[in-house]
Amino acid sequence: DIQMTQSPASLSASLGETVTIQCRASEDIYSGLAWYQQKPGKSPQLLIYGASSLQDGVPSRFSGSGSGTQYSLKISSMQTEDEGVYFCQQGLKYPLTFGSGTKLEIK
Amino acid sequence: QVTLKESGPGILQPSQTLSLTCTFSGFSLSTYGMGVGWIRQPSGKGLEWLANIWWDDDKYYNPSLKNRLTISKDTSNNQAFLKITNVDTADTATYYCAVTTRVSFDYWGQGVMVTVSS
């Protein structure tokens, strides 16, 4: 199975701050990576697919980058509504696997 | 507009079979390239992928659940199903269905909570 390692496990950011979350795959996943946001009591929502493509309706302050085994999600200007848990997921090989999540809070 | 909604028994006893239904709208599982997946999340924990079914009836399962899973679909009624046999307390979780067209899960249902308890 491809293991997905996310970091950090949690972080707090000030309004307007740039935030970066990392995700490392145990082998090359050829940009087959997605990012999700989950707010308390809600289902996950797709933010980024194919490592860097923005899902329709997602604010442009979210961006994804990376290749090979290393990927990152950037929020260019932290907003209150960005609080939540963020997960990465590889879609290259079955079984599909998720990172353990990063909890993002407002400082 | 794509919507999905999961339904299930709520609570069941160890060793029973869990049957889940995903009722969706806004897409067809008979359309080329469309798929539905099931993912679960124990309270306060991470996400675990369970199974995918595709428009051509191709199916994929998480081997960590061995042979306990069966995924199926009813394209005429816009539904997908998941059965998990021989449940135990470790299967207590919120279960989600989601539509997929590529490597990601594009839209998710609201989830259904399932508790396994004697």
Side-chain angles (χ1 to χ4, degrees):
Chain A
D1 299 4
I2 297 176
Q3 307 303 316
M4 305 301 293
T5 303
Q6 254 183 270
S7 61
S10 65
L11 76 157
S12 59
S14 303
L15 288 176
E17 185 177 343
T18 294
V19 172
T20 300
I21 299 169
Q22 309 282 354
C23 187
R24 176 171 52 86
S26 59
E27 62 183 82
D28 194 329
I29 58 171
Y30 300 95
S31 297
L33 184 99
W35 290 98
Y36 303 90
Q37 177 195 62
Q38 186 176 32
K39 297 185 179 181
K42 300 294 187 182
S43 55
Q45 290 199 323
L46 178 66
L47 299 173
I48 301 286
Y49 62 92
S52 60
S53 296
L54 195 67
Q55 172 72 340
D56 290 346
V58 175
S60 58
R61 64 179 179 274
F62 290 91
S63 63
S65 63
S67 62
T69 62
Q70 302 277 2
Y71 298 86
S72 61
L73 173 72
K74 186 171 81 170
I75 307 173
S76 60
S77 177
M78 177 75 180
Q79 303 298 308
T80 306
E81 60 266 32
D82 298 336
E83 280 193 309
V85 181
Y86 291 80
F87 295 95
C88 61
Q89 174 241 322
Q90 68 82 16
L92 179 70
K93 287 184 183 178
Y94 290 105
L96 307 180
T97 46
F98 291 86
S100 54
T102 295
K103 187 174 183 179
L104 175 60
E105 296 176 321
I106 287 284
K107 191 182 293 183
Chain B
Q1 180 189 2
V2 173
T3 64
L4 305 97
K5 187 172 184 179
E6 307 86 349
S7 57
I11 186 165
L12 66 167
Q13 295 184 335
S15 80
Q16 290 187 320
T17 295
L18 170 60
S19 295
L20 298 167
T21 299
C22 175
T23 303
F24 54 84
S25 63
F27 69 96
S28 173
L29 250 184
S30 60
T31 298
Y32 178 89
M34 301 302 295
V36 165
W38 286 93
I39 305 100
R40 70 181 179 182
Q41 183 175 39
S43 180
K45 298 193 176 180
L47 299 165
E48 179 182 30
W49 171 76
L50 301 175
N52 276 11
I53 189 166
W54 294 93
W55 85 99
D56 59 358
D57 211 36
D58 213 2
K59 301 166 187 174
Y60 296 87
Y61 296 104
N62 192 326
S64 70
L65 278 83
K66 298 182 174 69
N67 298 317
R68 299 172 53 214
L69 300 177
T70 303
I71 193 169
S72 60
K73 61 182 172 68
D74 179 352
T75 53
S76 58
N77 287 307
N78 286 340
Q79 291 181 316
F81 310 96
L82 184 71
K83 289 187 189 299
I84 306 179
T85 59
N86 192 27
V87 298
D88 68 10
T89 55
D91 296 309
T92 294
T94 295
Y95 287 75
Y96 298 100
C97 64
V99 62
T100 178
T101 57
R102 38 181 183 245
V103 302
S104 56
F105 294 103
D106 303 351
Y107 299 96
W108 298 56
Q110 64 189 25
V112 60
M113 289 185 60
V114 174
T115 302
V116 180
S117 175
S118 55

